[in-house]
Amino acid sequence: MSRTHHERPPLTLLYTPADRPDRVAKALAGDADVVLVDLEDAVAPARKEGARAEAVRLLSRVDRPVQVRLNHPDTPWHTGDVAALAELPAHVGVRVPKVETADQVSALAARLPGRDLHLLIESALGVEHAFDLAEAAPTVASIALGEADLRSDLRVSTDTGLTWARGRVVVAARAAALPPPVMSAYPHVRDLEGLASSCAAGRDLGFCGRTAIHPAQLPVIREAFLPSAGEVDRAREVVRKVTDAELAGVGAIALADGTFLDRAMLDQARAVLALAATA
C-alpha cells in the first residue's frame, strides 16, 4: 500500500570524500540540498580510519541535511563506521552501498535504530530484490541505483542497458511508499549538456533529483528537475478545478484544453507544486 509524498524533495545531493575535510566543510556551507560524506569508494584503504575520524569531527554538530556513505559489511572498516555513526546527531542519515538482501538492511537498522537508511542498489541481485529492500525496515528512507557498479555487473556500457533497472527501482520505491529515487551521479563533470540531457531522460522515467560529484553540476541538476512555469500553472489549475468541483458536487471535470481530470491527476499536480516550492 502506498501513500503520497508532497514534502519538498531534495534535488541536489553532493558527494564529498571524508578524507578531504576542506571539501567537506565547503560542501556543508554550499548550496547542495544534501551533503553526502563518503567513507567508501572515494577514500583509499590506507586513509579509511583517518577519514572516519574527520567525518565525526565535522558532523558532530551539523544542523543541515547530511548522509554518510558507509563501507560494506564485508570490509574491515564497516563495524567502525557503524559505531561512529551511532555517535552522530540523529538526523545524519546513512547511505548504504551495495545492498542485496533484506537481512543486510534489517541488521543495520537494528544497530542504528531510528536513523534514516538510504539504500544503494548496485548489482543484478539487488535490482531483483528492490521492493523487498525498500520494505526491509521502517527506517528505510529511500532507494537508488549505484550505476557504476551495476553497469559492471550487468556487463553493459550504455544507458540503454540500464533502462529496465531504472524503471524497476522507480516502481519499487513507489510501491513501498518511498519518495522517487534520485539518479546516480553523472561521471563526466565537464559535460554539462550531457548531464542536462541525462537528467531529462531520468525525469521521464520517474526519478527526482540527482547525486553530483562536482559543485558545477548542481545548478544543472536543479534546473532539470524543477517544473517549468507552464507546468506549475497547469498544476495550479488542476488543483483549483478539482477543489471547486468537489465543493460544487460536480463529477466530471475538464481543463480548458478539454483534458478530463481525476484524483490521480490531482495527486500529480500537488507533487509538481511541492517541487516548485524548492526553487
Side-chain angles (χ1 to χ4, degrees):
M1 185 174 76
S2 64
R3 65 183 179 275
T4 302
H5 291 263
H6 296 312
E7 300 86 357
R8 296 184 180 186
L11 298 183
T12 55
L13 303 89
L14 179 62
Y15 273 109
T16 55
D19 63 340
R20 290 294 305 272
D22 55 332
R23 293 188 186 180
V24 176
K26 186 175 181 180
L28 291 172
D31 297 330
D33 295 328
V34 180
V35 174
L36 308 176
V37 179
D38 192 11
L39 296 173
E40 196 212 16
D41 286 348
V43 180
R47 299 174 64 88
K48 296 283 189 182
E49 302 289 344
R52 184 194 302 137
E54 288 291 352
V56 170
R57 181 180 68 83
L58 288 165
L59 302 181
S60 59
R61 296 183 181 179
V62 72
D63 61 357
R64 56 115 69 225
V66 176
Q67 297 169 24
V68 176
R69 183 162 71 170
L70 302 176
N71 288 284
H72 191 269
D74 290 343
T75 70
W77 309 288
H78 176 77
T79 299
D81 290 350
V82 173
L85 252 171
E87 300 302 318
L88 291 176
H91 71 271
V92 175
V94 188
R95 204 157 187 83
V96 190
K98 302 175 177 63
V99 181
E100 293 187 325
T101 70
D103 286 346
Q104 291 174 330
V105 179
S106 58
L108 184 59
R111 295 178 66 188
L112 294 170
R115 196 174 295 270
D116 284 351
L117 304 181
H118 301 271
L119 310 184
L120 290 176
I121 297 171
E122 306 185 63
S123 68
L125 182 59
V127 172
E128 286 296 308
H129 291 166
F131 178 69
D132 291 337
L133 296 174
E135 291 212 317
T139 49
V140 173
S142 74
I143 60 173
L145 294 177
E147 291 186 352
D149 282 6
L150 183 59
R151 285 177 191 273
S152 177
D153 193 36
L154 296 178
R155 297 177 173 81
V156 301
S157 58
T158 68
D159 282 0
T160 302
L162 296 176
T163 301
W164 187 88
R166 288 173 172 175
R168 177 74 180 100
V169 78
V170 168
V171 172
R174 180 59 182 160
L178 295 177
V182 299
M183 294 185 75
S184 187
Y186 189 75
H188 311 294
V189 296
R190 296 181 181 177
D191 182 12
L192 298 183
E193 289 186 6
L195 171 62
S197 176
S198 177
C199 288
R203 182 180 176 187
D204 286 346
L205 286 173
F207 287 86
C208 185
R210 189 165 201 161
T211 61
I213 54 176
H214 192 282
Q217 295 178 315
L218 300 180
V220 178
I221 294 169
R222 178 171 290 277
E223 182 177 356
F225 285 99
L226 282 175
S228 67
E231 289 171 324
V232 172
D233 288 344
R234 182 180 178 87
R236 287 175 177 155
E237 183 184 9
V238 168
V239 173
R240 178 177 57 81
K241 286 270 191 179
V242 173
T243 301
D244 290 350
E246 287 180 344
L247 291 174
V250 176
I253 320 161
L255 298 178
D257 64 5
T259 302
F260 275 89
L261 303 179
D262 58 24
R263 296 291 307 180
M265 294 179 70
L266 176 62
D267 184 61
Q268 176 66 10
R270 286 175 172 159
V272 168
L273 295 179
L275 266 179
T278 67

